Amino acid sequence: MTVLIIGLTGGIGSGKTRVSDCFIRYGVPVVDTDQLARELVEPGQLALAEIVAHFGLDCLDDAGRLHRARLRERVFADAEGRRRLEAILHPCIRAQVRERVATLTAPYCVVVIPLLAETGMTDLVERVLVVDAPEAEQIRRVVVRDQVDETQAHRILAAQASRAQRLALADDVLENIGDLEALDRQVALLHQRYLTLAAARSA
Ligand code: ATP
């Protein structure tokens, strides 16, 4: 029996982490591509060597670790650099997701892909769950959580896919417009739905 793969996405501050934590509490395996991306650039990893080869030694800190802020700054205004960085990281992330999912024996799993709409990684998953929230709410949450000002929060949002682009990919939409308890209740319903779908598929 192969595991049903749910792709979880949503804009910044939409509530993805809260949702994936709920799935984890139900015992559902969660693969987080942000976490994979961090592991792939640890010292000694091939992807880090490729980044240094392309972007130079000044994207490392004194301890030889990736200086994220410097690299982010570097590629922010440089579309070609961004493409190069993606060309290094995305194939590695894809391979890691496939490898990890292949070892799972659960009825279904969740793969968190924040930039699903931007990266076109939809082929890695069978069903897409979009966590959706009004932009004003996303901005409010990001300002509170990350201590950035509203202008910065707007800038981050503007650099991401639009709500409409994400929703166009959705099989399921979790409207995160109420309180945290309302969010948790929606995850409970989705958990039942995914168990049913997984059971029907393997019957
Ligand atoms: P990012 O993409 O930035 O990592 P995210 O999509 O993972 O964000 P979360 O970290 O889950 O979003 O949520 C952002 C913040 O908003 C958190 O502090 C979370 O506790 C809070 N939050 C999320 N949903 C709600 C809600 N319905 N009511 C109140 N606070 C919420």
Side-chain angles (χ1 to χ4, degrees), residues 11-18 141 145 176 178-180 183:
I12 185 168
S14 58
K16 297 178 296 296
T17 305
R18 175 79 184 197
R141 287 180 197 149
R145 189 194 57 186
N176 187 10
D179 57 16
L180 289 168
L183 182 66

Side-chain angles (χ1 to χ4, degrees), residues 17-160:
T17 305
R18 175 79 184 197
V19 170
S20 63
D21 285 349
C22 288
F23 281 116
I24 290 169
R25 273 204 301 282
Y26 289 121
V28 176
V30 171
V31 177
D32 180 347
T33 54
D34 273 353
Q35 175 65 30
L36 290 180
R38 279 193 291 276
E39 290 170 16
L40 284 166
V41 295
E42 286 291 313
Q45 295 295 317
L46 190 63
L48 183 61
E50 287 185 36
I51 289 170
V52 173
H54 185 79
F55 294 97
L57 277 169
D58 62 342
C59 63
L60 294 180
D61 65 16
D62 293 343
R65 306 184 72 87
L66 184 65
H67 196 305
R68 285 166 198 289
R70 221 178 278 158
L71 183 63
R72 208 179 301 127
E73 224 168 79
R74 176 90 189 268
V75 299
F76 191 79
D78 170 14
E80 181 48 39
R82 211 157 46 235
R83 269 194 293 277
R84 184 71 211 132
L85 185 60
E86 287 169 358
I88 294 169
L89 289 175
H90 289 183
C92 302
I93 293 172
R94 284 172 168 281
Q96 279 292 317
V97 168
R98 291 214 164 92
E99 205 173 287
R100 295 196 188 200
V101 166
T103 65
L104 299 173
T105 51
Y108 79 93
C109 70
V110 171
V111 181
V112 186
I113 313 179
L115 298 180
L116 184 67
E118 294 83 346
T119 59
M121 289 193 186
T122 42
D123 60 305
L124 288 174
V125 304
E126 291 165 83
R127 214 177 157 84
V128 174
L129 167 60
V130 173
V131 185
D132 186 50
E135 286 183 1
E137 190 59 32
Q138 283 178 267
I139 288 183
R140 201 185 59 75
R141 287 180 197 149
V142 170
V143 166
V144 171
R145 189 194 57 186
D146 300 340
Q147 275 110 49
V148 295
D149 63 33
E150 276 197 27
T151 312
Q152 280 170 291
H154 273 288
R155 206 178 64 166
I156 298 167
L157 238 76
Q160 295 193 335

